[in-house]
PDB file of all heavy atoms in Angstrom:
ATOM      1  N   ARG B   1     209.242  14.818  15.665  1.00  0.00           N
ATOM      2  CA  ARG B   1     209.434  16.034  14.877  1.00  0.00           C
ATOM      3  C   ARG B   1     209.274  15.724  13.387  1.00  0.00           C
ATOM      4  O   ARG B   1     208.657  16.466  12.634  1.00  0.00           O
ATOM      5  CB  ARG B   1     210.804  16.634  15.156  1.00  0.00           C
ATOM      6  CG  ARG B   1     210.987  17.996  14.527  1.00  0.00           C
ATOM      7  CD  ARG B   1     212.339  18.611  14.855  1.00  0.00           C
ATOM      8  NE  ARG B   1     212.539  18.690  16.285  1.00  0.00           N
ATOM      9  CZ  ARG B   1     213.696  18.449  16.892  1.00  0.00           C
ATOM     10  NH1 ARG B   1     214.754  18.100  16.180  1.00  0.00           N
ATOM     11  NH2 ARG B   1     213.802  18.531  18.191  1.00  0.00           N
ATOM     12  N   GLY B   2     209.815  14.575  12.962  1.00  0.00           N
ATOM     13  CA  GLY B   2     209.698  14.188  11.559  1.00  0.00           C
ATOM     14  C   GLY B   2     208.255  13.937  11.162  1.00  0.00           C
ATOM     15  O   GLY B   2     207.824  14.302  10.077  1.00  0.00           O
ATOM     16  N   LYS B   3     207.481  13.307  12.052  1.00  0.00           N
ATOM     17  CA  LYS B   3     206.080  13.046  11.744  1.00  0.00           C
ATOM     18  C   LYS B   3     205.281  14.342  11.678  1.00  0.00           C
ATOM     19  O   LYS B   3     204.391  14.492  10.862  1.00  0.00           O
ATOM     20  CB  LYS B   3     205.469  12.114  12.776  1.00  0.00           C
ATOM     21  CG  LYS B   3     205.931  10.696  12.636  1.00  0.00           C
ATOM     22  CD  LYS B   3     205.186   9.802  13.574  1.00  0.00           C
ATOM     23  CE  LYS B   3     205.711   8.402  13.443  1.00  0.00           C
ATOM     24  NZ  LYS B   3     204.728   7.442  13.115  1.00  0.00           N
ATOM     25  N   LEU B   4     205.595  15.296  12.558  1.00  0.00           N
ATOM     26  CA  LEU B   4     204.873  16.559  12.551  1.00  0.00           C
ATOM     27  C   LEU B   4     205.186  17.370  11.307  1.00  0.00           C
ATOM     28  O   LEU B   4     204.325  18.031  10.761  1.00  0.00           O
ATOM     29  CB  LEU B   4     205.209  17.371  13.805  1.00  0.00           C
ATOM     30  CG  LEU B   4     204.663  16.831  15.126  1.00  0.00           C
ATOM     31  CD1 LEU B   4     205.165  17.687  16.277  1.00  0.00           C
ATOM     32  CD2 LEU B   4     203.154  16.794  15.110  1.00  0.00           C
ATOM     33  N   GLN B   5     206.430  17.327  10.848  1.00  0.00           N
ATOM     34  CA  GLN B   5     206.820  18.112   9.692  1.00  0.00           C
ATOM     35  C   GLN B   5     206.320  17.527   8.385  1.00  0.00           C
ATOM     36  O   GLN B   5     206.091  18.246   7.426  1.00  0.00           O
ATOM     37  CB  GLN B   5     208.338  18.250   9.641  1.00  0.00           C
ATOM     38  CG  GLN B   5     208.883  19.139  10.731  1.00  0.00           C
ATOM     39  CD  GLN B   5     210.392  19.182  10.738  1.00  0.00           C
ATOM     40  OE1 GLN B   5     211.055  18.430  10.015  1.00  0.00           O
ATOM     41  NE2 GLN B   5     210.973  20.043  11.565  1.00  0.00           N
ATOM     42  N   THR B   6     206.095  16.219   8.316  1.00  0.00           N
ATOM     43  CA  THR B   6     205.691  15.601   7.065  1.00  0.00           C
ATOM     44  C   THR B   6     204.180  15.469   6.929  1.00  0.00           C
ATOM     45  O   THR B   6     203.695  14.913   5.957  1.00  0.00           O
ATOM     46  CB  THR B   6     206.319  14.205   6.923  1.00  0.00           C
ATOM     47  OG1 THR B   6     205.902  13.402   8.027  1.00  0.00           O
ATOM     48  CG2 THR B   6     207.828  14.281   6.868  1.00  0.00           C
ATOM     49  N   SER B   7     203.416  15.960   7.909  1.00  0.00           N
ATOM     50  CA  SER B   7     201.964  15.845   7.785  1.00  0.00           C
ATOM     51  C   SER B   7     201.461  16.801   6.712  1.00  0.00           C
ATOM     52  O   SER B   7     201.889  17.950   6.643  1.00  0.00           O
ATOM     53  CB  SER B   7     201.277  16.137   9.129  1.00  0.00           C
ATOM     54  OG  SER B   7     201.535  17.456   9.515  1.00  0.00           O
ATOM     55  N   PRO B   8     200.550  16.334   5.848  1.00  0.00           N
ATOM     56  CA  PRO B   8     200.075  17.178   4.753  1.00  0.00           C
ATOM     57  C   PRO B   8     199.151  18.275   5.275  1.00  0.00           C
ATOM     58  O   PRO B   8     198.349  18.078   6.168  1.00  0.00           O
ATOM     59  CB  PRO B   8     199.307  16.213   3.850  1.00  0.00           C
ATOM     60  CG  PRO B   8     198.900  15.105   4.762  1.00  0.00           C
ATOM     61  CD  PRO B   8     199.969  15.017   5.810  1.00  0.00           C
ATOM     62  N   ARG B   9     199.278  19.434   4.693  1.00  0.00           N
ATOM     63  CA  ARG B   9     198.453  20.577   5.073  1.00  0.00           C
ATOM     64  C   ARG B   9     197.580  20.961   3.884  1.00  0.00           C
ATOM     65  O   ARG B   9     198.042  20.967   2.745  1.00  0.00           O
ATOM     66  CB  ARG B   9     199.306  21.785   5.472  1.00  0.00           C
ATOM     67  CG  ARG B   9     200.248  21.514   6.606  1.00  0.00           C
ATOM     68  CD  ARG B   9     199.506  21.541   7.890  1.00  0.00           C
ATOM     69  NE  ARG B   9     200.463  21.319   8.975  1.00  0.00           N
ATOM     70  CZ  ARG B   9     200.119  21.028  10.184  1.00  0.00           C
ATOM     71  NH1 ARG B   9     198.862  20.913  10.478  1.00  0.00           N
ATOM     72  NH2 ARG B   9     201.013  20.841  11.109  1.00  0.00           N
ATOM     73  N   LYS B  10     196.333  21.288   4.151  1.00  0.00           N
ATOM     74  CA  LYS B  10     195.435  21.722   3.096  1.00  0.00           C
ATOM     75  C   LYS B  10     194.875  23.088   3.461  1.00  0.00           C
ATOM     76  O   LYS B  10     194.540  23.338   4.610  1.00  0.00           O
ATOM     77  CB  LYS B  10     194.277  20.744   2.917  1.00  0.00           C
ATOM     78  CG  LYS B  10     194.689  19.408   2.356  1.00  0.00           C
ATOM     79  CD  LYS B  10     193.490  18.535   2.135  1.00  0.00           C
ATOM     80  CE  LYS B  10     193.920  17.193   1.561  1.00  0.00           C
ATOM     81  NZ  LYS B  10     192.782  16.319   1.335  1.00  0.00           N
ATOM     82  N   MET B  11     194.776  23.925   2.481  1.00  0.00           N
ATOM     83  CA  MET B  11     194.175  25.238   2.688  1.00  0.00           C
ATOM     84  C   MET B  11     192.673  25.101   2.458  1.00  0.00           C
ATOM     85  O   MET B  11     192.238  24.563   1.453  1.00  0.00           O
ATOM     86  CB  MET B  11     194.765  26.264   1.713  1.00  0.00           C
ATOM     87  CG  MET B  11     196.252  26.472   1.894  1.00  0.00           C
ATOM     88  SD  MET B  11     196.641  27.194   3.486  1.00  0.00           S
ATOM     89  CE  MET B  11     196.074  28.842   3.232  1.00  0.00           C
ATOM     90  N   VAL B  12     191.887  25.565   3.403  1.00  0.00           N
ATOM     91  CA  VAL B  12     190.443  25.451   3.311  1.00  0.00           C
ATOM     92  C   VAL B  12     189.845  26.848   3.300  1.00  0.00           C
ATOM     93  O   VAL B  12     190.189  27.681   4.134  1.00  0.00           O
ATOM     94  CB  VAL B  12     189.880  24.643   4.506  1.00  0.00           C
ATOM     95  CG1 VAL B  12     188.370  24.564   4.432  1.00  0.00           C
ATOM     96  CG2 VAL B  12     190.496  23.264   4.537  1.00  0.00           C
ATOM     97  N   ASN B  13     188.962  27.093   2.363  1.00  0.00           N
ATOM     98  CA  ASN B  13     188.279  28.373   2.295  1.00  0.00           C
ATOM     99  C   ASN B  13     187.109  28.348   3.269  1.00  0.00           C
ATOM    100  O   ASN B  13     186.144  27.615   3.078  1.00  0.00           O
ATOM    101  CB  ASN B  13     187.791  28.641   0.870  1.00  0.00           C
ATOM    102  CG  ASN B  13     187.200  30.023   0.726  1.00  0.00           C
ATOM    103  OD1 ASN B  13     187.253  30.818   1.643  1.00  0.00           O
ATOM    104  ND2 ASN B  13     186.653  30.306  -0.448  1.00  0.00           N
ATOM    105  N   THR B  14     187.199  29.148   4.317  1.00  0.00           N
ATOM    106  CA  THR B  14     186.153  29.147   5.339  1.00  0.00           C
ATOM    107  C   THR B  14     185.143  30.260   5.136  1.00  0.00           C
ATOM    108  O   THR B  14     184.217  30.398   5.926  1.00  0.00           O
ATOM    109  CB  THR B  14     186.766  29.285   6.741  1.00  0.00           C
ATOM    110  OG1 THR B  14     187.547  30.472   6.791  1.00  0.00           O
ATOM    111  CG2 THR B  14     187.631  28.079   7.060  1.00  0.00           C
ATOM    112  N   ALA B  15     185.321  31.066   4.107  1.00  0.00           N
ATOM    113  CA  ALA B  15     184.379  32.149   3.839  1.00  0.00           C
ATOM    114  C   ALA B  15     183.108  31.555   3.240  1.00  0.00           C
ATOM    115  O   ALA B  15     183.129  30.906   2.205  1.00  0.00           O
ATOM    116  CB  ALA B  15     184.988  33.162   2.884  1.00  0.00           C
ATOM    117  N   LEU B  16     181.989  31.719   3.936  1.00  0.00           N
ATOM    118  CA  LEU B  16     180.721  31.165   3.481  1.00  0.00           C
ATOM    119  C   LEU B  16     179.754  32.294   3.123  1.00  0.00           C
ATOM    120  O   LEU B  16     179.745  33.345   3.760  1.00  0.00           O
ATOM    121  CB  LEU B  16     180.098  30.299   4.577  1.00  0.00           C
ATOM    122  CG  LEU B  16     180.916  29.109   5.059  1.00  0.00           C
ATOM    123  CD1 LEU B  16     180.227  28.451   6.236  1.00  0.00           C
ATOM    124  CD2 LEU B  16     181.103  28.117   3.937  1.00  0.00           C
ATOM    125  N   SER B  17     178.946  32.036   2.126  1.00  0.00           N
ATOM    126  CA  SER B  17     177.938  33.022   1.770  1.00  0.00           C
ATOM    127  C   SER B  17     176.798  32.951   2.771  1.00  0.00           C
ATOM    128  O   SER B  17     176.708  32.047   3.592  1.00  0.00           O
ATOM    129  CB  SER B  17     177.426  32.759   0.355  1.00  0.00           C
ATOM    130  OG  SER B  17     176.711  31.533   0.331  1.00  0.00           O
ATOM    131  N   ASP B  18     175.896  33.932   2.696  1.00  0.00           N
ATOM    132  CA  ASP B  18     174.758  33.958   3.620  1.00  0.00           C
ATOM    133  C   ASP B  18     173.861  32.746   3.416  1.00  0.00           C
ATOM    134  O   ASP B  18     173.309  32.203   4.375  1.00  0.00           O
ATOM    135  CB  ASP B  18     173.947  35.247   3.414  1.00  0.00           C
ATOM    136  CG  ASP B  18     174.710  36.475   3.878  1.00  0.00           C
ATOM    137  OD1 ASP B  18     175.596  36.311   4.752  1.00  0.00           O
ATOM    138  OD2 ASP B  18     174.423  37.585   3.391  1.00  0.00           O
ATOM    139  N   GLU B  19     173.728  32.292   2.177  1.00  0.00           N
ATOM    140  CA  GLU B  19     172.887  31.127   1.883  1.00  0.00           C
ATOM    141  C   GLU B  19     173.474  29.862   2.517  1.00  0.00           C
ATOM    142  O   GLU B  19     172.743  29.062   3.113  1.00  0.00           O
ATOM    143  CB  GLU B  19     172.773  30.946   0.369  1.00  0.00           C
ATOM    144  CG  GLU B  19     171.881  29.791  -0.050  1.00  0.00           C
ATOM    145  CD  GLU B  19     171.791  29.678  -1.559  1.00  0.00           C
ATOM    146  OE1 GLU B  19     171.644  30.716  -2.229  1.00  0.00           O
ATOM    147  OE2 GLU B  19     171.878  28.544  -2.049  1.00  0.00           O
ATOM    148  N   GLU B  20     174.794  29.702   2.393  1.00  0.00           N
ATOM    149  CA  GLU B  20     175.441  28.528   2.986  1.00  0.00           C
ATOM    150  C   GLU B  20     175.348  28.554   4.503  1.00  0.00           C
ATOM    151  O   GLU B  20     175.177  27.518   5.147  1.00  0.00           O
ATOM    152  CB  GLU B  20     176.894  28.463   2.538  1.00  0.00           C
ATOM    153  CG  GLU B  20     177.053  28.117   1.067  1.00  0.00           C
ATOM    154  CD  GLU B  20     178.494  28.223   0.606  1.00  0.00           C
ATOM    155  OE1 GLU B  20     179.294  28.883   1.303  1.00  0.00           O
ATOM    156  OE2 GLU B  20     178.808  27.669  -0.449  1.00  0.00           O
ATOM    157  N   LYS B  21     175.460  29.736   5.116  1.00  0.00           N
ATOM    158  CA  LYS B  21     175.329  29.847   6.569  1.00  0.00           C
ATOM    159  C   LYS B  21     173.923  29.468   7.012  1.00  0.00           C
ATOM    160  O   LYS B  21     173.747  28.798   8.019  1.00  0.00           O
ATOM    161  CB  LYS B  21     175.653  31.272   7.029  1.00  0.00           C
ATOM    162  CG  LYS B  21     177.118  31.606   6.984  1.00  0.00           C
ATOM    163  CD  LYS B  21     177.371  33.012   7.468  1.00  0.00           C
ATOM    164  CE  LYS B  21     178.825  33.377   7.343  1.00  0.00           C
ATOM    165  NZ  LYS B  21     179.101  34.762   7.754  1.00  0.00           N
ATOM    166  N   GLY B  22     172.917  29.886   6.231  1.00  0.00           N
ATOM    167  CA  GLY B  22     171.539  29.536   6.554  1.00  0.00           C
ATOM    168  C   GLY B  22     171.305  28.044   6.486  1.00  0.00           C
ATOM    169  O   GLY B  22     170.623  27.465   7.336  1.00  0.00           O
ATOM    170  N   ILE B  23     171.889  27.397   5.478  1.00  0.00           N
ATOM    171  CA  ILE B  23     171.752  25.949   5.329  1.00  0.00           C
ATOM    172  C   ILE B  23     172.424  25.242   6.500  1.00  0.00           C
ATOM    173  O   ILE B  23     171.865  24.292   7.067  1.00  0.00           O
ATOM    174  CB  ILE B  23     172.348  25.486   3.979  1.00  0.00           C
ATOM    175  CG1 ILE B  23     171.484  26.001   2.821  1.00  0.00           C
ATOM    176  CG2 ILE B  23     172.458  23.970   3.918  1.00  0.00           C
ATOM    177  CD1 ILE B  23     172.100  25.785   1.454  1.00  0.00           C
ATOM    178  N   GLN B  24     173.612  25.703   6.881  1.00  0.00           N
ATOM    179  CA  GLN B  24     174.315  25.075   8.006  1.00  0.00           C
ATOM    180  C   GLN B  24     173.555  25.275   9.317  1.00  0.00           C
ATOM    181  O   GLN B  24     173.510  24.373  10.148  1.00  0.00           O
ATOM    182  CB  GLN B  24     175.733  25.634   8.130  1.00  0.00           C
ATOM    183  CG  GLN B  24     176.686  25.056   7.113  1.00  0.00           C
ATOM    184  CD  GLN B  24     178.116  25.495   7.371  1.00  0.00           C
ATOM    185  OE1 GLN B  24     178.383  26.363   8.188  1.00  0.00           O
ATOM    186  NE2 GLN B  24     179.043  24.887   6.648  1.00  0.00           N
ATOM    187  N   ASP B  25     172.965  26.453   9.510  1.00  0.00           N
ATOM    188  CA  ASP B  25     172.174  26.696  10.719  1.00  0.00           C
ATOM    189  C   ASP B  25     170.975  25.760  10.782  1.00  0.00           C
ATOM    190  O   ASP B  25     170.651  25.219  11.836  1.00  0.00           O
ATOM    191  CB  ASP B  25     171.716  28.152  10.792  1.00  0.00           C
ATOM    192  CG  ASP B  25     172.857  29.119  11.072  1.00  0.00           C
ATOM    193  OD1 ASP B  25     173.911  28.657  11.574  1.00  0.00           O
ATOM    194  OD2 ASP B  25     172.693  30.320  10.789  1.00  0.00           O
ATOM    195  N   LYS B  26     170.309  25.586   9.625  1.00  0.00           N
ATOM    196  CA  LYS B  26     169.144  24.704   9.572  1.00  0.00           C
ATOM    197  C   LYS B  26     169.544  23.267   9.871  1.00  0.00           C
ATOM    198  O   LYS B  26     168.868  22.571  10.638  1.00  0.00           O
ATOM    199  CB  LYS B  26     168.499  24.800   8.186  1.00  0.00           C
ATOM    200  CG  LYS B  26     167.237  23.993   8.047  1.00  0.00           C
ATOM    201  CD  LYS B  26     166.632  24.151   6.659  1.00  0.00           C
ATOM    202  CE  LYS B  26     165.403  23.272   6.522  1.00  0.00           C
ATOM    203  NZ  LYS B  26     164.853  23.339   5.169  1.00  0.00           N
ATOM    204  N   GLU B  27     170.664  22.808   9.287  1.00  0.00           N
ATOM    205  CA  GLU B  27     171.133  21.448   9.540  1.00  0.00           C
ATOM    206  C   GLU B  27     171.528  21.268  10.999  1.00  0.00           C
ATOM    207  O   GLU B  27     171.265  20.222  11.603  1.00  0.00           O
ATOM    208  CB  GLU B  27     172.311  21.119   8.624  1.00  0.00           C
ATOM    209  CG  GLU B  27     171.916  20.931   7.177  1.00  0.00           C
ATOM    210  CD  GLU B  27     173.121  20.705   6.270  1.00  0.00           C
ATOM    211  OE1 GLU B  27     174.268  20.796   6.759  1.00  0.00           O
ATOM    212  OE2 GLU B  27     172.913  20.441   5.081  1.00  0.00           O
ATOM    213  N   SER B  28     172.140  22.282  11.575  1.00  0.00           N
ATOM    214  CA  SER B  28     172.534  22.217  12.979  1.00  0.00           C
ATOM    215  C   SER B  28     171.320  22.104  13.880  1.00  0.00           C
ATOM    216  O   SER B  28     171.314  21.335  14.848  1.00  0.00           O
ATOM    217  CB  SER B  28     173.367  23.445  13.347  1.00  0.00           C
ATOM    218  OG  SER B  28     173.662  23.456  14.712  1.00  0.00           O
ATOM    219  N   LYS B  29     170.280  22.861  13.546  1.00  0.00           N
ATOM    220  CA  LYS B  29     169.042  22.818  14.341  1.00  0.00           C
ATOM    221  C   LYS B  29     168.393  21.439  14.221  1.00  0.00           C
ATOM    222  O   LYS B  29     167.926  20.875  15.220  1.00  0.00           O
ATOM    223  CB  LYS B  29     168.086  23.899  13.857  1.00  0.00           C
ATOM    224  CG  LYS B  29     166.942  24.172  14.779  1.00  0.00           C
ATOM    225  CD  LYS B  29     166.145  25.393  14.318  1.00  0.00           C
ATOM    226  CE  LYS B  29     165.122  25.779  15.346  1.00  0.00           C
ATOM    227  NZ  LYS B  29     164.401  26.987  14.954  1.00  0.00           N
ATOM    228  N   GLU B  30     168.375  20.881  13.010  1.00  0.00           N
ATOM    229  CA  GLU B  30     167.809  19.547  12.814  1.00  0.00           C
ATOM    230  C   GLU B  30     168.583  18.495  13.602  1.00  0.00           C
ATOM    231  O   GLU B  30     167.983  17.615  14.223  1.00  0.00           O
ATOM    232  CB  GLU B  30     167.836  19.185  11.328  1.00  0.00           C
ATOM    233  CG  GLU B  30     166.829  19.938  10.479  1.00  0.00           C
ATOM    234  CD  GLU B  30     166.974  19.615   9.000  1.00  0.00           C
ATOM    235  OE1 GLU B  30     167.845  18.799   8.637  1.00  0.00           O
ATOM    236  OE2 GLU B  30     166.204  20.192   8.205  1.00  0.00           O
ATOM    237  N   GLU B  31     169.904  18.603  13.605  1.00  0.00           N
ATOM    238  CA  GLU B  31     170.726  17.642  14.342  1.00  0.00           C
ATOM    239  C   GLU B  31     170.470  17.724  15.834  1.00  0.00           C
ATOM    240  O   GLU B  31     170.412  16.704  16.519  1.00  0.00           O
ATOM    241  CB  GLU B  31     172.204  17.882  14.049  1.00  0.00           C
ATOM    242  CG  GLU B  31     172.616  17.459  12.658  1.00  0.00           C
ATOM    243  CD  GLU B  31     174.060  17.794  12.349  1.00  0.00           C
ATOM    244  OE1 GLU B  31     174.743  18.383  13.217  1.00  0.00           O
ATOM    245  OE2 GLU B  31     174.510  17.475  11.243  1.00  0.00           O
ATOM    246  N   SER B  32     170.316  18.944  16.356  1.00  0.00           N
ATOM    247  CA  SER B  32     170.064  19.077  17.794  1.00  0.00           C
ATOM    248  C   SER B  32     168.687  18.522  18.164  1.00  0.00           C
ATOM    249  O   SER B  32     168.522  17.908  19.223  1.00  0.00           O
ATOM    250  CB  SER B  32     170.199  20.533  18.243  1.00  0.00           C
ATOM    251  OG  SER B  32     169.225  21.339  17.625  1.00  0.00           O
ATOM    252  N   ILE B  33     167.698  18.708  17.282  1.00  0.00           N
ATOM    253  CA  ILE B  33     166.362  18.154  17.539  1.00  0.00           C
ATOM    254  C   ILE B  33     166.417  16.625  17.519  1.00  0.00           C
ATOM    255  O   ILE B  33     165.841  15.958  18.387  1.00  0.00           O
ATOM    256  CB  ILE B  33     165.342  18.694  16.507  1.00  0.00           C
ATOM    257  CG1 ILE B  33     165.090  20.183  16.748  1.00  0.00           C
ATOM    258  CG2 ILE B  33     164.038  17.915  16.560  1.00  0.00           C
ATOM    259  CD1 ILE B  33     164.274  20.860  15.671  1.00  0.00           C
TER     260      ILE B  33
END
């Protein structure tokens, strides 16, 4: 319980613009190829 409570938490902004989504899609396609 002590280890679970003391773990650091970070807030991450998951909102991506259309340009960033396009870049991630392209990278994902390259990785699968």
Side-chain angles (χ1 to χ4, degrees):
R1 188 178 304 141
K3 287 186 182 237
L4 290 176
Q5 290 175 352
T6 59
S7 63
R9 302 282 182 194
K10 291 183 180 180
M11 298 295 287
V12 178
N13 186 6
T14 57
L16 301 174
S17 67
D18 291 335
E19 182 179 317
E20 290 173 342
K21 286 181 184 178
I23 291 171
Q24 282 187 350
D25 290 340
K26 183 179 177 184
E27 288 176 355
S28 175
K29 194 172 188 177
E30 288 176 1
E31 288 176 359
S32 64
I33 291 171

